[in-house]
Amino acid sequence: MVDVQHWLSALPPGVIYLIVGGVIGVESMGIPLPGEIVLVSSALLAATGVVQPEWVAIAAATGAIVGDSIGYAVGRRGGRPLLERLGRRFPKHLGPAHLARAEQSFARHGVWAVFFGRFVALLRILAGPLAGALHVPYRRFLVANAAGGLVWAFGTTYLLFSVGRAAEHWLKDISWAGLVLAVLAGLVSTAWLRRRAKRLGPVEAPDQAEPVGATER
């Protein structure tokens, strides 16, 4: 992540915003890319004044919402065979076990899987295409997708921006206790979101996964 941050810092702010939106957008279409790493690196750059946090968050949210919507359209058109082809192409990220887990999440939780999936790497990649392949109603998908994208993008950006600014200020004043408290607050809030998201369902082997017929409509 340090290398990504160093590489981004050499670019103009406008290019950084485009990269944030583009990488997150392509990841949301179903292609494994380091969207979260790019967002975290850009948010930390915002703490140093290289970019503006609001534009980082806007770019990330836009990429997430648009990318998921495109992934939804592709999944609806290509169906499960498309997801299986993606699994063969990216077996470490989208293999049969990953697909089985994601399908279970949708079967059990409907569009809530889209919202909380934004905080889990697996569902962040598969949410759009899988929702389309399972014919989740687009209106409900869009609401959950937009809500999850906004909370994830703005929450992550401003959390890291605030921690970075506080660290810079407190390091100057040698206030180590304040720095530790700020970092712990960020870790606790992030851990809570991830724990809540991971409760969507355990990983099961593909031959044990239940058929998805109870998707919310």
Side-chain angles (χ1 to χ4, degrees):
M1 189 177 71
V2 175
D3 292 337
V4 173
Q5 186 176 345
H6 178 73
W7 175 70
L8 289 173
S9 65
L11 301 174
V15 175
I16 295 176
Y17 303 141
L18 290 175
I19 290 175
V20 170
V23 170
I24 292 174
V26 173
E27 179 190 47
S28 300
M29 294 178 198
I31 306 299
L33 287 181
E36 191 168 48
I37 293 177
V38 171
L39 176 58
V40 169
S41 300
S42 301
L44 292 175
L45 284 178
T48 65
V50 175
V51 290
Q52 298 300 314
E54 62 269 23
W55 285 108
V56 172
I58 290 171
T62 302
I65 296 169
V66 173
D68 270 341
S69 293
I70 295 175
Y72 175 94
V74 172
R76 187 156 187 126
R77 183 177 181 85
R80 186 182 175 88
L82 171 66
L83 298 176
E84 293 174 346
R85 286 198 298 271
L86 285 174
R88 289 192 294 270
R89 188 174 182 84
F90 305 105
K92 293 183 179 180
H93 300 89
L94 305 174
H98 302 92
L99 180 57
R101 176 186 173 185
E103 285 184 319
Q104 278 195 329
S105 297
F106 273 87
R108 292 177 181 176
H109 304 283
V111 293
W112 282 108
V114 177
F115 178 86
F116 285 106
R118 179 48 58 180
F119 300 90
V120 180
L122 166 64
L123 288 178
R124 186 163 56 246
I125 298 172
L126 279 175
L130 188 56
L134 297 177
H135 294 277
V136 174
Y138 180 70
R139 183 178 300 177
R140 294 181 179 178
F141 167 80
L142 181 60
V143 171
N145 172 35
L150 289 169
V151 172
W152 175 73
F154 279 85
T156 301
T157 299
Y158 277 95
L159 172 63
L160 292 170
F161 172 76
S162 300
V163 170
R165 290 295 294 271
E168 183 179 5
H169 172 74
W170 282 322
L171 281 173
K172 288 180 180 178
D173 294 340
I174 321 180
S175 180
W176 295 101
L179 173 59
V180 171
L181 288 175
V183 173
L184 285 177
L187 291 175
V188 168
S189 60
T190 301
W192 182 88
L193 282 171
R194 289 187 182 279
R195 188 191 312 170
R196 180 66 182 86
K198 287 180 180 179
R199 290 177 61 188
L200 292 175
V203 179
E204 293 190 9
D207 58 343
Q208 296 175 328
E210 298 175 2
V212 179
T215 304
E216 182 178 355
R217 294 183 180 273

